[in-house]
Amino acid sequence: TTGEYIQVNVNLPTSGNSIIATYDQDSVSITQAGNSVMSSLTSGSTLFKINPGTNNLTLSGSTVGDGAYASVSINSAWPLS
């Protein structure tokens, strides 16, 4: 592993809450319920590259409840440089 991470300091109180991180070579956005939470992105966060092949990603938090999950979608049309 590279040790890189994206950390956002927000509370997701119910199972219906989510954070969406979208980034490509030109833009970055992190939203919760359609509102930007970029100001909650920690200074140690790295917008890391997803490489071709297997990538091991981990969902973690101060409390991660049963049924919590991460969904990752990749579009290879925008390579990060």
Side-chain angles (χ1 to χ4, degrees), residues 13 24-25 27-28 64 69-70 76:
D24 59 36
Q25 65 185 10
S27 63
V28 176
V64 179
Y69 67 94
S76 62

Side-chain angles (χ1 to χ4, degrees), residues 7-10 58-65 68:
Q7 180 179 350
V8 183
N9 289 329
V10 297
T58 302
L59 172 65
S60 63
S62 58
T63 303
V64 179

Side-chain angles (χ1 to χ4, degrees), residues 4-76:
E4 295 171 296
Y5 61 89
I6 297 172
Q7 180 179 350
V8 183
N9 289 329
V10 297
N11 183 31
L12 301 174
T14 67
S15 62
N17 294 132
S18 63
I19 293 174
I20 299 172
T22 305
Y23 61 96
D24 59 36
Q25 65 185 10
D26 298 322
S27 63
V28 176
S29 70
I30 300 176
T31 59
Q32 177 184 16
N35 299 308
S36 177
V37 291
M38 286 293 293
S39 63
S40 298
L41 186 68
T42 65
S43 61
S45 295
T46 303
L47 298 175
F48 54 87
K49 295 180 181 180
I50 301 292
N51 296 310
T54 302
N55 291 264
N56 295 317
L57 304 174
T58 302
L59 172 65
S60 63
S62 58
T63 303
V64 179
D66 292 340
Y69 67 94
S71 177
V72 179
S73 299
I74 300 169
N75 184 338
S76 62

